[in-house]
Structure formats: structure tokens, C-alpha cells
Amino acid sequence: MLGLGRIAQIVRCDLIEAQHCFEKALVIYRELDDLRGISHATVFLGQIAAERADLSQARALAEECLTIARQAGIENPYALVLLAEFARNHGDLERTRWLLEQAVADLDAYGSIADVLEGLGSVATRQGDFAAAHAFLDESLSLWKKLGNERALAASLPMAVLVQAEGNYRGAIGLYRAGLPGIKLYRNPKCPCGLGLAELATVFDQHEVTARLLGAIHSVDEALHHLAGYERDDYNRLADVARASLGAVAFDAAWTQGRAAPFEAVIEEAVSALEGVLRVDDQPLSA
């Protein structure tokens, strides 16, 4: 039953079916007094709560999972991953990375390992540890490909954010383009991907593109609560620059357009606009 829930959660992105499976599994494991099973079902329900932005419930379930796991004398790396997400949301990147590194050492499912390695790559990018970020993301992509998982379609998105941070703008836009087919499958980094493109649009004075991207990011964050505190700071900084350049009326109009449009459509429009700029602009293509 847990396996069916994970397929619904990760492959089909069907949170309702996943929750149903995990709740049924929890009942069965409690009847069997199977502490390992109870621990896993509990943390997977915590993941569902986190994806629905019920962070207090998610944290409570993660802590309950760890308590049960300790009683059983076992490790539950999924609880560490969930706690890492809370640390990330509070801007504690050092603790986030430590928790994810602890978790990945105990995971045995390739898909889960690939997912955590992606998270580690994004954290290392933010910390400016680019060599480690490349290693994490390369290993993650290798695992997705080994699994034949369609998530590999979107694996270039965190890599795009990384090479952009290194100053390779042309390489970044190529990677954003490569990741477009998989973006619908890739819930977690929608906001980092959008923020990366908004940053790039700002570099090349494409402030209307920035405003539309910020509107789309707001829509995703409103629904899924994915912006960490430091990402919200980036969002506000980019909004201030775009508003000052466009004027309040034009900024608000573009922002509203972005908020109303499908996220994927706004991203594709931004990629196309920036591809055009990078082909004809004589500005240096790196910071």
C-alpha cells in the first residue's frame, strides 16, 4: 500500500490518492504493531501535508515519525528530508544541507536518492559551493536516467540555476529551454526556476518579462507555499527593480498577466524572450 501511495505521490502527482493509500497503510501497520511501517506511513502523510502548505501538521508528523523510529531502533531518512524542508524555509542552509546529507546516506530507493541529491545541489548552489553542486546534480541526473524516470526531463532546471550563478548566461538559458518539457512534473523548484529567469531578465533589462514571471511565481507560492525566506527577499528585490524601471501601473499590469497565466506558459515566454536577447545583445554574457 505504501508503494501504491508513493507512485500516486511521485509519479502521478495525485495527492488525494496518495493520502488515501498512506492512511490505509497506517491503519494496517498499527493493527500489526509494525513500528517501521507506522514510521514510514506517518512521514509520507507529513510530506502530503507539506505539499498542501499545512506546515504545522507536516512538522508534527515528521517529529512523530522520528519518535516512533527511535522507539523501534531504526532510521527514517524521509523524516530528515521533511525537517530539512522546514530548515530551508527558515533560511538555515547549513542545517538543511546537513539533514539532507544525513538522509541520503540512509536512503535505498534510487528515486528518493535522486530527489534528495537534487535538493543538495540547489542548496550548494545557493551557498556558492559550485563544485559540490555540480557533483550532486550530475549524480542525481544519472540516477533519474538509470530509472528511466520522466523526471529526468526537468533535471536541467536546477542545473540552469547553477550555471547562471556561475555567470554562464547563455548556458543557463539553454538549460532552461531543455527543461521546459518536464516542468509540469517538477513541483518543488518551480519558484527557484522562475526566480532564476527573473534574475536573468533583470540583468538584460527585460523588466516586463521579470514582472510577468513574478506574478506567475506569486500564483505558485500562494498555492504551494514554496518560497523560502531568502527567496522571498530575492522576489521583493527583483520586484522593486522592475517597478522602478516600468512604473507602478505598467508593473502591476504585467504582474497581473503573469499571475493569471499558466506558470509553464509564462516560463516558456520568458525563455523565448531571453533567447532573443542573448542572440542580438552585445552585453557580456557573464557577470
Side-chain angles (χ1 to χ4, degrees), residues 211-212 214-219 222 254-262 266:
R212 284 196 291 270
L214 294 178
I217 291 165
H218 177 86
S219 180
E222 200 171 39
W255 186 93
T256 301
Q257 289 172 2
R259 184 182 182 187
V266 177

Side-chain angles (χ1 to χ4, degrees), residues 40-123:
H40 279 86
T42 299
V43 77
F44 293 151
L45 285 169
Q47 290 177 356
I48 298 296
E51 292 194 53
R52 289 176 169 159
D54 188 349
L55 299 185
S56 60
Q57 174 70 356
R59 189 182 192 93
L61 288 167
E63 291 172 349
E64 180 183 348
C65 165
L66 284 177
T67 299
I68 295 167
R70 291 190 187 108
Q71 289 174 355
I74 60 174
E75 300 292 336
N76 193 317
Y78 297 102
L80 298 178
V81 173
L82 195 51
L83 291 172
E85 180 62 17
F86 299 131
R88 188 191 75 87
N89 284 337
H90 286 90
D92 189 345
L93 293 178
E94 184 176 348
R95 177 165 174 76
T96 301
R97 183 166 172 176
W98 182 83
L99 286 165
L100 291 178
E101 287 175 339
Q102 296 300 306
V104 79
D106 291 322
L107 287 165
D108 54 11
Y110 278 173
S112 298
I113 294 170
D115 202 31
V116 172
L117 286 168
E118 251 175 32
L120 278 166
S122 295
V123 171

Side-chain angles (χ1 to χ4, degrees), residues 117-246:
L117 286 168
E118 251 175 32
L120 278 166
S122 295
V123 171
T125 297
R126 189 78 193 192
Q127 291 177 315
D129 188 352
F130 298 144
H134 276 285
F136 289 137
L137 294 177
D138 287 346
E139 187 177 354
S140 174
L141 176 58
S142 176
L143 288 174
W144 286 129
K145 287 181 174 178
K146 183 180 293 188
L147 288 168
N149 194 298
E150 57 188 356
R151 273 282 299 277
L153 294 171
S156 65
L157 295 174
M159 185 63 77
V161 176
L162 167 57
V163 301
Q164 180 177 327
E166 292 176 308
N168 182 358
Y169 297 156
R170 194 183 296 278
I173 202 64
L175 288 164
Y176 284 124
R177 168 62 69 186
L180 288 178
I183 199 168
K184 290 182 181 179
L185 306 169
Y186 205 32
R187 292 188 303 272
N188 290 343
K190 278 188 173 180
C191 289
C193 165
L195 282 170
L197 279 167
E199 189 81 56
L200 196 55
T202 300
V203 167
F204 290 100
D205 296 324
Q206 301 298 299
H207 300 296
E208 189 172 334
V209 173
T210 298
R212 284 196 291 270
L213 283 164
L214 294 178
I217 291 165
H218 177 86
S219 180
V220 171
D221 183 52
E222 200 171 39
L224 300 175
H225 199 67
H226 277 321
L227 279 183
Y230 56 84
E231 291 169 334
R232 198 169 300 283
D233 291 342
D234 289 345
Y235 180 101
N236 291 334
R237 172 178 54 80
L238 293 167
D240 288 344
V241 173
R243 188 180 291 108
S245 299
L246 295 171

